[in-house]
Amino acid sequence: MSRAEAAEPAEAPEPSNRIKFSSPRQIPIVGVVTEDEEVQGAFKSMDLNRVIKLFEETGKDDLEERQLKSVKKLVQCYQNGFPLRDLAQIFKILNLCAEKIKTQPHFIEPAYNIIKLCGLPFLKKKASDEITYAEDTANSIGLLGDLMKIQNSELRIQICKCIIDFYHAEPPKKHITGYQQASSSYKIKMAEVGELAKTMIQSLELLENQLVEKLWVLKALQHLSTSEVNCTLMVKAQAASGICAHLNDPDPSGQLLFRSSEILWNLLEKSSKEEIIQQLSNLKCLLALKEVFKNLFIRGVSHYDRQLRNDILVITTIISQNPGAPMVESGFTRDLILFATFNEVKSQNPLVKGLKLSNSYEDFELKKLLFNIIVILCKDLSTIQLLIDGKVILALFTYVKRPEKHKILEWSAAQYEELQLHAIATLSSVAPFLIDEYLFYKGNDQVLEFLAWCDNEDSFFSHGNSFHGAGGRGNKFAQMRYSLRLLRAMVYLENDTINKDLCENGAIQQLIGIFKNTISKYNDKEEAILLEIQSDILLILSGLCEYHIPGKEIFGTEGVDIILHVMKTDPKKLQSGLGYNVLLYSTLDSIWCCILGCYPSEDYFLEKEGIFLLLDLLALNQKKFCNLILGIMVEFCDNPKTAAHVNAWRGKKDQTAASLLIKLWRKEEKELGVKRDKYGKIVDTKKPLFTSFQEEQKIIPLPANCPTIAVMDVAENIRAKIYAVLGKLDFENLPGLSAEDFVTLCIIHRYLDFKIGEIWNEIYEEIKLEKLRPVTTDKKILESITAASENIGKMVVSLQSEMIESQARQDVQNEQKVYTKIQATHKQRELANKSWENFLARTSNAKTLKVPSGGVVTVESTPARLVGGPLADTDIALKKLPIRGGALQKVKAVKTVDEPKKSDPA
């Protein structure tokens, strides 16, 4: 919030040498001191102890004159500033002067002159002087606040000027040889250490009727309040309540209100906000704020007045956040409601008669601030009747309308759009407290009609400049978003009248249609706002359908389709941070509320492979979704058609649904710190399900209506839901499980038995802690129940051991088969090597190559039906080989032809 510093009113008359608000000029202390200047005594040392001793003397006739003369000499000697080393003695002299003022008024002038010199920068001879004399300096500066008790106007004003000079110091007139100016922030720091701000606040109580002096003190406090340390000191002195209570005091110049509001702002920004609110939350302060705001609202015409009016309203808004603030008792709430609605609702109240807001920036900000404070005020139930009397709902609904063409508006197009969005956002907070008013003015009809305009294709250019208009430039998405937020707030009330009215007005079909249109309008630029719109639509639909079967039937297949569309979203987008996580949560909630319990919708969801999509999401292994998805799975398994779909699902590496659920169980137990051995077996048969948290917590006797740790464990993790799903799928016929899965399944199968035993054990332990003695029969029953639970644990461990041993034997057999296969492979290689060696011997060994000649053999051609014809050696023939064959057919014997006889020589 901008503050009206630029428009500061004219101050009360001051001396001509008044200090102006300007940044201090940093002029380096560089110069040459001539011998003449030294002779003239630009800086001469003085025996200050002698002056102090003179002031302590009594009884002499000319003592007062000598004392005045010594102080005059002191002022002349230190006319260029006080050295830090002399500061303690100088202020002791100042204090001695102040003590004499009451009986000897002549000492006012020397005290005034010393204080005036304090406005000059302090001087240091060594760089270490600032540290060496820090305590003396802080005590000296702190004394200035105590001097405000002296009842002299000029002296008080000079003290204030001196403090202001700390922040706007001027360089010394002459350079003093051997001395340097202390750092510009040194005085400010020492004022903090000396707690000057605290004593200055306390001095305000002495100035009830001295307006000029009070204004100077406020001006000094305005400078002091720029420091966090000073603000903390001022708060301890009850500065906020003391200043605020006098905001409306008479002041023709206007300085009192301006400076007081500026100090309050600084206190709120630089100290404990909670402490300030507590100090301002009283009837006196609120009455002062109310009168000031009302006067500025009605009579303020200048730019400065409007800015100051808005500042006062912001301070009031901060106070109204405290439920204990008497806003209603002071009448401030009634006036604020009137000022917030008089433009939209005609009022006969004389306060606003003839009053009209302009489209100036300050009035525009005022309107938004009034909307904002209504949101805060409505949280106080005592305000509800005032909101009804002020017709706040009617006033806000005047903005929930499509803009009318050619209508003259009080605001510019951009201003009206921002106010429209702000009004709808305000309705979202106020309307749930004013249900009867909302229904009386047909709020549902107006919102649905406005949503229809937001969804149509009419040409409309939105500016999207404001906080509420983010993401809505050039479209109606911002209006749609806030209208849906309003509907969501009303639906979440679970008011039968409101929800039934929405259903009868076609809200479900309209919202499904809007959702489909947002899919077609999707683009990267407005992605975040579209995701929020889609999430809100699904949440509203969930609220309308959850306990309303006709609503679920209306939701129907069109509604299921939009849910399936969201479930098919790329899982990588869930990590984008744009709102896909929220959309998925809303989608899962819609499955629970809009589909489950309506058999046609359930069947359609199954038919469209919705269970597959659910299991795909579950396989992502994101803990934040697992609990909700498993809850939906439990409910869906009541449908007899679901089991087949679950068993048919396959994930990565051909993982089955049962294997996935068991894997999730193991992961959950690992996170919970459940004790299991390296094979997944039960370690403690007495406490087979105990988590690390349960181990740490001691059993404490609780009332019967309070759930114990064992009972709370059922709701706080997913094990119970996994047990329920696997139970409905039949533990005995689960496909695709490994030996490790079966070991875990043994525990899951007995989950309910273990949990019952755990609860009975808690009961038994509580009885012991309460030192109750059950009757013999009950004791035996308790002991038998505990023993039975432990026996079940032992039985499960035995079964797990058998499975592990069986798996070990199977592993050995499998290993043996592998070894046999390896041996066969090696033997085949040996035979192949031997065959190769024989081949080489026939081709390279000379003895083997000597083949005796024999008879000539003639071989008839092999029948074509056996070799495949002339193309038998080609790839084509290989493709035609029959799948089924048989033994080769018998062929004709080989016919041997005798060799021709050698002819006799001719």
Side-chain angles (χ1 to χ4, degrees):
M1 173 62 62
S2 60
R3 296 193 281 279
E5 289 185 5
E8 181 181 344
E11 296 185 357
E14 303 177 16
S16 59
N17 61 342
R18 85 175 206 187
I19 307 300
K20 298 181 180 179
F21 275 80
S22 61
S23 57
R25 294 183 298 129
Q26 301 295 331
I27 300 178
I29 304 174
V30 178
V32 178
V33 181
T34 64
E35 293 182 0
D36 293 338
E37 287 178 327
E38 286 186 339
V39 171
Q40 291 172 4
F43 186 79
K44 297 179 181 178
S45 61
M46 185 174 181
D47 188 356
L48 296 175
N49 289 326
R50 184 178 177 184
V51 177
I52 294 170
K53 188 175 180 181
L54 181 63
F55 266 83
E56 291 174 347
E57 292 180 2
T58 56
K60 296 183 179 180
D61 295 337
D62 60 343
L63 184 61
E64 180 180 341
E65 185 178 350
R66 288 167 57 201
Q67 289 171 341
L68 290 171
K69 187 176 180 181
S70 64
V71 175
K72 185 176 181 181
K73 185 178 179 182
L74 182 149
V75 170
Q76 187 177 6
C77 178
Y78 293 103
Q79 61 182 328
N80 291 309
F82 295 134
L84 291 174
R85 65 179 184 180
D86 298 338
L87 207 57
Q89 293 171 302
I90 291 170
F91 267 82
K92 188 172 183 180
I93 295 168
L94 175 60
N95 197 34
L96 290 169
C97 289
E99 291 173 359
K100 295 180 177 292
I101 287 175
K102 191 172 183 179
T103 56
Q104 297 170 282
H106 294 96
F107 282 93
I108 292 176
E109 184 178 354
Y112 178 94
N113 291 331
I114 293 174
I115 293 170
K116 186 176 181 181
L117 290 177
C118 290
L120 296 174
F122 293 150
L123 302 174
K124 59 183 179 181
K125 198 164 188 178
K126 300 177 183 178
S128 61
D129 281 359
E130 290 187 5
I131 299 173
T132 305
Y133 301 105
E135 185 178 355
D136 290 343
T137 307
N139 292 335
S140 301
I141 292 177
L143 183 63
L144 291 174
D146 295 330
L147 295 176
M148 290 294 295
K149 297 175 183 177
I150 300 172
Q151 295 182 0
N152 182 275
S153 178
E154 292 180 356
L155 200 64
R156 286 170 171 171
I157 291 172
Q158 185 55 51
I159 291 171
C160 295
K161 288 181 178 180
C162 174
I163 295 170
I164 294 168
D165 285 343
F166 292 177
Y167 296 84
H168 307 283
E170 292 185 0
K173 297 176 182 177
K174 294 182 181 180
H175 175 72
I176 310 300
T177 305
Y179 286 89
Q180 290 181 337
Q181 180 179 333
S183 60
S184 57
S185 61
Y186 183 67
K187 278 187 178 180
I188 298 172
K189 290 178 182 178
M190 292 300 102
E192 294 173 356
V193 177
E195 299 187 353
L196 177 61
K198 184 178 179 180
T199 53
M200 291 301 291
I201 284 291
Q202 293 168 347
S203 71
L204 277 175
E205 299 175 4
L206 308 172
L207 307 174
E208 291 290 336
N209 301 315
Q210 286 88 18
L211 178 60
V212 175
E213 297 165 30
K214 184 187 289 187
L215 292 177
W216 274 106
V217 171
L218 288 173
K219 186 173 182 180
L221 287 169
Q222 186 180 349
H223 285 78
L224 290 169
S225 65
T226 56
S227 156
E228 291 184 7
V229 175
N230 286 337
C231 284
T232 302
L233 292 169
M234 292 165 70
V235 170
K236 288 180 180 178
Q238 302 294 309
S241 57
I243 291 172
C244 183
H246 296 281
L247 280 176
N248 203 37
D249 287 358
D251 174 27
S253 70
Q255 284 189 73
L256 187 145
L257 179 56
F258 163 67
R259 298 198 186 283
S260 298
S261 63
E262 186 72 16
I263 294 168
L264 288 175
W265 263 112
N266 290 339
L267 291 175
L268 284 166
E269 290 176 353
K270 299 180 185 297
S271 62
S272 171
K273 189 176 180 181
E274 293 74 19
E275 179 63 27
I276 300 297
I277 292 174
Q278 286 297 326
Q279 288 188 23
L280 297 177
S281 297
N282 60 72
L283 194 60
K284 190 175 181 181
C285 289
L286 285 171
L287 285 172
L289 285 167
K290 169 191 167 185
E291 292 304 318
V292 167
F293 179 76
K294 190 162 59 175
N295 290 335
L296 289 170
F297 192 96
I298 296 170
R299 300 181 181 87
V301 292
S302 67
H303 172 79
Y304 160 74
D305 289 339
R306 290 170 177 170
Q307 279 191 332
L308 192 54
R309 172 199 64 191
N310 292 357
D311 287 352
I312 296 296
L313 183 54
V314 173
I315 294 171
T316 305
T317 303
I318 294 170
I319 299 171
S320 65
Q321 294 173 5
N322 178 16
M327 292 290 295
V328 176
E329 294 84 344
S330 65
F332 207 172
T333 297
R334 184 181 294 277
D335 287 351
L336 289 170
I337 292 172
L338 173 66
F339 293 143
T341 60
F342 81 95
N343 254 22
E344 295 78 21
V345 180
K346 291 182 179 179
S347 174
Q348 301 302 320
N349 193 304
L351 283 176
V352 293
K353 189 175 181 180
L355 194 62
K356 191 175 182 180
L357 296 177
S358 68
N359 62 355
S360 66
Y361 174 77
E362 290 76 22
D363 284 354
F364 175 60
E365 287 295 310
L366 170 71
K367 193 68 178 177
K368 292 192 294 181
L369 288 170
L370 288 169
F371 283 164
N372 187 55
I373 200 169
I374 284 176
V375 172
I376 297 171
L377 293 173
C378 73
K379 296 174 184 177
D380 182 2
L381 295 179
S382 61
T383 308
I384 300 302
Q385 189 57 48
L386 296 176
L387 294 171
I388 294 171
D389 296 341
K391 299 181 179 180
V392 171
I393 293 291
L394 177 61
L396 293 172
F397 264 119
T398 59
Y399 292 92
V400 190
K401 294 178 181 178
R402 66 177 67 194
E404 298 178 18
K405 296 180 179 179
H406 311 300
K407 183 179 179 181
I408 300 174
L409 298 174
E410 298 170 348
W411 311 100
S412 67
Q415 287 176 329
Y416 181 80
E417 180 191 342
E418 188 170 348
L419 288 177
Q420 181 184 58
L421 295 172
H422 206 140
I424 300 172
T426 304
L427 268 172
S428 301
S429 299
V430 177
F433 294 100
L434 304 171
I435 296 175
D436 292 339
E437 295 291 300
Y438 179 84
L439 291 170
F440 179 78
Y441 294 115
K442 297 183 178 180
N444 285 338
D445 293 352
Q446 295 194 58
V447 177
L448 291 176
E449 184 180 350
F450 188 69
L451 270 175
W453 171 76
C454 294
D455 192 42
N456 65 27
E457 300 296 333
D458 290 354
S459 58
F460 174 76
F461 181 79
S462 62
H463 295 77
N465 296 324
S466 66
F467 167 79
H468 295 94
R473 187 171 182 81
N475 54 54
K476 307 172 194 171
F477 290 153
Q479 286 82 353
M480 183 181 289
R481 171 170 58 181
Y482 281 95
S483 301
L484 289 170
R485 285 186 185 179
L486 171 57
L487 271 186
R488 187 185 69 190
M490 300 311 295
V491 169
Y492 270 28
L493 296 173
E494 297 184 0
N495 183 284
D496 291 338
T497 306
I498 291 175
N499 290 358
K500 186 179 179 182
D501 182 56
L502 282 169
C503 291
E504 289 175 353
N505 285 328
I508 294 176
Q509 301 96 316
Q510 184 176 345
L511 290 170
I512 291 172
I514 293 172
F515 193 102
K516 290 181 176 179
N517 289 338
T518 58
I519 295 172
S520 62
K521 295 175 183 177
Y522 178 84
N523 62 76
D524 292 337
K525 189 177 180 182
E526 285 90 20
E527 185 174 15
I529 190 172
L530 284 170
L531 290 172
E532 183 183 339
I533 287 170
Q534 291 176 346
S535 299
D536 282 343
I537 289 174
L538 291 176
L539 289 172
I540 294 166
L541 291 170
S542 297
L544 292 175
C545 298
E546 186 172 8
Y547 305 112
H548 193 232
I549 296 298
K552 294 184 179 184
E553 293 172 352
I554 296 170
F555 186 80
T557 57
E558 288 189 32
V560 175
D561 285 335
I562 63 174
I563 286 176
L564 293 171
H565 171 81
V566 177
M567 293 177 70
K568 293 175 183 177
T569 302
D570 184 357
K572 294 178 182 178
K573 291 184 177 180
L574 295 175
Q575 310 301 329
S576 66
L578 293 172
Y580 281 98
N581 274 337
V582 178
L583 180 58
L584 185 54
Y585 271 122
S586 305
T587 305
L588 295 173
D589 189 52
S590 297
I591 296 173
W592 193 289
C593 300
C594 303
I595 296 177
L596 288 170
C598 181
Y599 296 119
S601 296
E602 285 186 13
D603 292 345
Y604 185 75
F605 183 82
L606 292 170
E607 180 185 333
K608 293 295 183 179
E609 300 182 348
I611 288 293
F612 287 5
L613 295 173
L614 273 176
L615 288 168
D616 287 340
L617 289 172
L618 190 62
L620 294 175
N621 204 8
Q622 295 198 15
K623 191 172 181 64
K624 52 193 171 186
F625 297 124
C626 286
N627 205 359
L628 189 52
I629 294 172
L630 287 169
I632 294 169
M633 292 288 296
V634 171
E635 296 298 323
F636 249 113
C637 285
D638 287 337
N639 189 318
K641 300 177 182 178
T642 303
H645 288 262
V646 175
N647 288 327
W649 177 83
R650 292 294 181 272
K652 292 181 179 179
K653 298 181 181 179
D654 208 31
Q655 184 182 34
T656 63
S659 177
L660 172 62
L661 292 171
I662 294 171
K663 181 181 177 183
L664 289 173
W665 175 286
R666 283 197 295 268
K667 182 186 176 188
E668 184 77 359
E669 288 202 327
K670 186 177 180 180
E671 292 175 356
L672 293 172
V674 180
K675 292 180 180 178
R676 299 282 184 258
D677 68 6
K678 63 180 181 179
Y679 300 108
K681 289 168 52 182
I682 294 172
V683 173
D684 187 351
T685 55
K686 291 183 179 180
K687 302 173 182 178
L689 298 177
F690 253 47
T691 64
S692 58
F693 176 75
Q694 287 176 280
E695 292 282 1
E696 293 168 3
Q697 296 294 316
K698 294 181 179 179
I699 295 175
I700 303 171
L702 295 170
N705 60 344
C706 293
T708 62
I709 296 174
V711 175
M712 290 298 295
D713 174 74
V714 175
E716 290 176 350
N717 58 70
I718 63 175
R719 291 189 294 178
K721 292 184 176 68
I722 293 174
Y723 165 78
V725 174
L726 290 175
K728 291 183 178 183
L729 294 177
D730 186 1
F731 284 107
E732 303 299 328
N733 299 303
L734 298 175
L737 301 185
S738 64
E740 185 184 14
D741 292 339
F742 278 113
V743 170
T744 306
L745 188 61
C746 291
I747 301 172
I748 300 173
H749 193 189
R750 289 292 185 173
Y751 173 79
L752 188 58
D753 295 329
F754 290 147
K755 184 55 67 175
I756 291 171
E758 193 177 300
I759 292 170
W760 275 111
N761 184 61
E762 278 188 337
I763 294 170
Y764 197 14
E765 291 297 324
E766 285 187 21
I767 289 172
K768 290 179 181 178
L769 288 170
E770 292 177 350
K771 297 181 180 179
L772 300 174
R773 288 183 61 190
V775 296
T776 306
T777 308
D778 289 346
K779 186 176 180 180
K780 287 181 179 179
I781 292 172
L782 284 170
E783 290 173 351
S784 62
I785 291 172
T786 306
S789 176
E790 187 176 353
N791 289 336
I792 292 172
K794 291 177 181 178
M795 183 184 68
V796 170
V797 170
S798 176
L799 182 59
Q800 288 177 319
S801 298
E802 287 180 15
M803 288 181 174
I804 292 168
E805 290 171 5
S806 175
Q807 181 61 34
R809 288 193 298 270
Q810 184 65 42
D811 290 342
V812 170
Q813 292 175 4
N814 292 339
E815 188 177 349
Q816 189 61 45
K817 288 179 181 178
V818 173
Y819 286 151
T820 304
K821 188 176 179 180
I822 292 171
Q823 287 174 351
T825 303
H826 281 290
K827 189 173 182 179
Q828 188 66 29
R829 285 177 181 172
E830 288 175 3
L831 292 172
N833 291 337
K834 197 171 184 180
S835 176
W836 176 249
E837 289 172 0
N838 292 336
F839 172 74
L840 289 177
R842 290 196 303 271
T843 57
S844 59
N845 194 320
K847 293 180 179 180
T848 308
L849 289 174
K850 293 178 179 179
V851 180
S853 60
V856 178
V857 178
T858 301
V859 180
E860 291 187 3
S861 176
T862 306
R865 64 180 180 275
L866 296 179
V867 298
L871 298 176
D873 293 335
T874 65
D875 291 339
I876 297 174
L878 293 174
K879 293 179 182 177
K880 294 181 180 179
L881 286 175
I883 295 172
R884 297 181 61 188
L888 293 176
Q889 296 183 11
K890 191 173 182 180
V891 297
K892 293 180 181 180
V894 179
K895 185 179 179 182
T896 302
V897 182
D898 294 337
E899 290 184 15
K901 296 180 179 179
K902 294 182 181 178
S903 58
D904 296 333

